[in-house]
Amino acid sequence: WLVVDRKVYDVGEFSTRHPGGHRVIGHYAGQDATDAFVAFHNDKALVKKYLKPLQIGELAPDQPSSESHKKESLLADFRELRCDIEKKGLLKPDYTFFLLIFLHLLILEASSWLVVWYFGISSVPFFAGIALFTIAQTQMSWFQHDLGHCSVFRKPKWNRLMHIVVINVMKGLPACWWNHLHNQHHAKPNCFRKDPDLNMHPLLFSLGKTLSMEVMMGMFGSR
């Protein structure tokens, strides 16, 4: 069960069919998911049609919808800021900007190969090609990030199609893998055991007293 706009929904069976993956919903089990719902879904009217049959009740008037550790004033400020941003149209995509981004990625990628093909593999053209290729691939990472967030086109299907072209074809990575991990990251950013971006310990990162304690307990707790 989870809460959206003070309405309670049973999403147990639906979670297996959820386009964003069942873990994203599972991370909000027993919690208020209103802000995550608003952030993840562009066409909220359409999504609410799927939610309506899953509704099993509403919170009582005296029942708070947010968790006790969250500040109501901070949530209110955040929601007011988001509404203001939407009214000003700051979330609307600029097609010209993204078209130029894509074209310059194609030019960089093609240039990296043409330099080596035309000038050979001596040191200067070889490292020049590496530099161009590295810049292109790095910029593609950010471009596919915007596509994965459905921020480039108004319709999600065009974002998903272009996302596959950029990350699958041009970068050689699976779009479904990236979306699965990144959706969880934005559903519960920087939450230990829920944000996959933090699951890099104990070999890479173990920062902060809380995380370090969790890691140590995991490694030596059974001893």
Side-chain angles (χ1 to χ4, degrees):
W1 297 1
L2 52 76
V3 177
V4 176
D5 290 329
R6 301 192 63 81
K7 294 181 174 62
V8 183
Y9 300 93
D10 182 354
V11 294
E13 294 184 5
F14 172 75
S15 64
T16 59
R17 306 190 303 273
H18 182 235
H22 68 279
R23 289 189 178 183
V24 176
I25 290 184
H27 290 334
Y28 277 92
Q31 300 178 20
D32 182 87
T34 302
D35 295 305
F37 174 83
V38 172
F40 274 92
H41 303 98
N42 292 329
D43 192 345
K44 298 172 185 60
L46 174 64
V47 179
K48 285 185 177 180
K49 291 182 180 179
Y50 291 93
L51 273 180
K52 190 173 182 180
L54 305 178
Q55 184 179 346
I56 57 175
E58 294 187 29
L59 295 179
D62 60 342
Q63 178 68 34
S65 59
S66 61
E67 287 70 52
S68 58
H69 65 278
K70 293 183 178 179
K71 294 182 178 180
E72 290 287 347
S73 59
L74 187 62
L75 286 174
D77 288 345
F78 171 77
R79 291 169 183 174
E80 183 181 353
L81 175 63
R82 181 179 179 87
C83 289
D84 186 46
I85 289 174
E86 289 180 340
K87 288 179 181 178
K88 292 180 178 178
L90 299 179
L91 297 181
K92 293 181 180 179
D94 185 336
Y95 295 121
T96 302
F97 170 79
F98 284 112
L99 175 62
L100 293 175
I101 288 289
F102 184 60
L103 289 177
H104 110 271
L105 292 176
L106 293 178
I107 292 172
L108 284 172
E109 183 89 356
S111 298
S112 66
W113 293 102
L114 287 173
V115 166
V116 176
W117 174 78
Y118 186 80
F119 294 102
I121 55 173
S122 57
S123 298
V124 174
F126 179 74
F127 285 106
I130 289 179
L132 289 170
F133 186 78
T134 302
I135 295 172
Q137 289 291 311
T138 303
Q139 292 296 317
M140 281 180 202
S141 296
W142 293 112
F143 185 50
Q144 69 84 24
H145 176 273
D146 292 337
L147 289 164
H149 277 286
C150 295
S151 301
V152 177
F153 300 99
R154 294 185 183 278
K155 293 187 177 181
K157 65 179 181 180
W158 290 111
N159 283 288
R160 287 193 290 267
L161 179 61
M162 196 64 185
H163 190 220
I164 291 174
V165 171
V166 175
I167 192 171
N168 284 43
V169 179
M170 300 180 71
K171 288 190 65 65
L173 296 170
C176 58
W177 163 80
W178 186 89
N179 282 322
H180 175 69
L181 295 180
H182 203 66
N183 284 341
Q184 293 183 71
H185 162 69
H186 279 286
K188 286 289 184 177
N190 298 327
C191 290
F192 186 55
R193 300 190 187 283
K194 291 187 177 181
D195 183 350
D197 287 4
L198 295 183
N199 295 337
M200 296 181 287
H201 59 274
L203 299 179
L204 295 181
F205 296 108
S206 179
L207 305 176
K209 294 181 179 180
T210 303
L211 182 55
S212 298
M213 187 179 298
E214 290 275 3
V215 172
M216 294 302 292
M217 289 178 65
M219 293 174 62
F220 304 108
S222 60
R223 296 185 180 181

